[in-house]
Amino acid sequence: MKILAIQTSCDETAAAIISKVPQENYVKLLSNIVASSLTLHSKTGGIVPEIAAREQVRYIIPVIKKAIENCKLSRRSGIPQLAGKIEEIDAIAVTVGPGLIGSLLVGVETAKTLAYLWKKPIIPVNHLLGHIYANWLTTKDQRPKTIDFPALALLVSGGHTDLVLLKNHKNTKWIGGTLDDAAGEAFDKVGRLLNLPYPGGPAIEKVSERGIAGRFTFPRPMLGSLDFYFSFSGLKAAVSREVLKLGKLDEQQIADIALAVQKSIVEVLVRKTLKAALKHNARSILLGGGVAANQTLRDRFELEIENFKLKIKLFAPSKSLCTDNAAMIGAYAGFNPKPIDWKNITANPELYF
Ligand code: KG4
Ligand code: ZN
């Protein structure tokens, strides 16, 4: 089954084509195009919904066209080339939420129009589950990986921090999440306090390489709580107090604070996820969302799994597939191909698990 996937929930306009064979446990990525209006938003230090939506309108058709044109199938697999052949697409998958309403509508309405014109079934996809399913994507140079269930997913994006238990592809359950700010939001807000470019996450990761450990310590919110909730707003407040106290920061102080903040966030995420994984006898941990691109987070998970000799395998998508893309939307649809009538597809900014 070949699926054209469309994702426009925020500032990225993305289209991808994936292939999924029913008996196989992975999704093959055939083409993946992402256009971003991020540089426009970095000037304002955050996403301006109206600008994001206008850019979606500008990019949506060229991005879909390019995804179809770029699509190549491995000759070794014996499947013929797909390039430009709309007839070979079996279904269209589209992100229906959560996200910014103006941005979502561009993708949803485009997908509906194409589904109607091309007479293709249309599959609505929850963006959050898409981030988790990025773990099942395989490019032609990668060996397929086997993800054993039960799997515990840590979804860490700009707006969400959630723990989701997957017993199988049909049974997913939310078991915890943030009570206030998401981890990505904490990175972004601290980035702003430190005068770093938006988005804060990658900027903090970069400057923290020059940071000296131990110069600052920030709280690890809810680290010891017995539940699977997170809270990151206090961390941002603590950084804000420190910055006010110090006055104008020099480059070394910025790097030292960045390193300490990253350490706090990573420690809370890793410890709580591992605790949840052990409680639910998870055999796999799946990372997803923009913050999952953070190398310190990945390394810390590996280290703790090794140190405690846990029988849990860690999976994380390649870094470019952690941030928003359409391939992950196709991956979810590949495992859960449940089309609905195009007339019933609507954008839902508040969609959750
Ligand atoms: O998943 P995503 O691309 O968009 C949403 O669906 O929200 O996540 C964006 C978030 C931002 O908060 C950004 O600062 C964070 O992911 N992020 C990172 C890194 N790359 C992106 N956070 C920490 N380290 C990174 N390398
Ligand atoms: Zn996202």
Side-chain angles (χ1 to χ4, degrees):
M1 178 181 209
K2 285 166 211 100
I3 298 175
L4 165 66
I6 297 171
Q7 140 67 34
T8 66
S9 64
C10 193
D11 59 319
E12 268 101 2
T13 313
I17 296 179
I18 63 94
S19 162
K20 170 78 175 70
V21 176
Q23 58 274 25
E24 286 175 351
N25 242 329
Y26 60 91
V27 171
K28 226 174 186 168
L29 180 52
L30 305 181
S31 93
N32 187 32
I33 304 292
V34 182
S36 173
S37 57
L38 198 61
T39 44
L40 292 177
H41 304 292
S42 61
K43 289 180 199 145
T44 46
I47 289 164
V48 181
E50 176 68 17
I51 294 178
R54 285 179 194 213
E55 292 302 297
Q56 296 285 4
V57 173
R58 220 151 71 92
Y59 287 125
I60 187 76
I61 297 297
V63 163
I64 292 174
K65 191 165 170 275
K66 200 158 180 203
I68 295 170
E69 281 168 2
N70 274 16
C71 186
K72 287 194 191 75
L73 286 172
S74 153
R75 286 180 184 282
R76 264 180 299 142
S77 70
I79 312 168
Q81 293 268 332
L82 184 69
K85 292 189 197 151
I86 289 154
E87 313 86 72
E88 288 195 43
I89 294 168
D90 301 295
I92 295 176
V94 63
T95 302
V96 289
L100 303 170
I101 184 66
S103 291
L104 282 169
L105 278 171
V106 177
V108 168
E109 293 307 313
T110 306
K112 277 159 78 170
T113 308
L114 294 179
Y116 178 77
L117 281 175
W118 296 346
K119 300 186 176 52
K120 309 281 182 195
I122 179 165
I123 305 165
V125 178
N126 179 329
H127 179 84
L128 305 176
L129 289 170
H131 271 304
I132 295 170
Y133 271 77
N135 285 288
W136 274 277
L137 286 166
T138 314
T139 57
K140 73 174 185 339
D141 316 315
Q142 291 170 328
R143 270 197 314 145
K145 44 199 172 179
T146 306
I147 297 176
D148 292 320
F149 291 113
L152 186 83
L154 170 67
L155 165 65
V156 269
S157 66
H160 292 86
T161 297
D162 293 295
L163 286 170
V164 182
L165 182 67
L166 290 88
K167 289 198 176 151
N168 52 56
H169 290 293
K170 290 185 175 58
N171 186 333
T172 56
K173 191 175 163 215
W174 181 89
I175 60 162
T178 185
L179 299 172
D180 42 54
D181 290 356
E185 203 174 343
F187 271 116
D188 294 339
K189 286 179 173 170
V190 169
R192 217 167 297 148
L193 288 170
L194 298 180
N195 247 330
L196 294 171
Y198 179 85
I204 286 178
E205 176 168 35
K206 188 149 190 287
V207 294
S208 66
E209 283 168 17
R210 290 187 279 106
I212 297 169
R215 287 209 170 155
F216 293 92
T217 314
F218 294 109
R220 276 114 172 99
M222 300 186 75
L223 183 65
S225 72
L226 297 175
D227 50 39
F228 298 120
Y229 294 123
F230 300 87
S231 164
F232 291 106
S233 66
L235 177 62
K236 179 207 68 192
V239 177
S240 172
R241 279 194 298 274
E242 193 66 47
V243 170
L244 267 177
K245 203 170 78 192
L246 292 168
K248 192 167 164 38
L249 302 175
D250 62 34
E251 286 210 354
Q252 190 57 52
Q253 283 171 320
I254 291 175
D256 296 344
I257 293 174
L259 181 66
V261 168
Q262 179 172 268
K263 203 163 176 224
S264 288
I265 296 176
V266 164
E267 188 168 335
V268 177
L269 292 175
V270 172
R271 283 293 165 94
K272 286 229 145 161
T273 306
L274 288 179
K275 215 190 270 182
L278 288 173
K279 180 175 173 198
H280 292 281
N281 299 317
R283 297 172 68 193
S284 312
I285 286 178
L286 313 178
L287 307 184
V291 180
N294 187 284
Q295 193 57 44
T296 306
L297 179 72
R298 293 168 175 235
D299 292 346
R300 184 69 191 259
F301 263 114
E302 293 285 9
L303 190 77
E304 300 254 335
I305 288 172
E306 200 185 307
N307 280 352
F308 291 106
K309 299 190 172 34
L310 305 178
K311 289 196 165 53
I312 301 174
K313 227 170 141 194
L314 179 74
F315 294 89
S318 62
K319 290 187 180 177
S320 64
L321 294 172
C322 287
T323 46
D324 287 352
N325 64 84
M328 66 189 201
I329 303 303
Y332 178 83
F335 277 102
N336 303 277
K338 290 189 213 125
I340 67 171
D341 192 322
W342 66 267
K343 292 186 219 71
N344 297 330
I345 302 244
T346 47
N348 180 359
E350 312 296 339
L351 188 66
Y352 205 42
F353 289 104

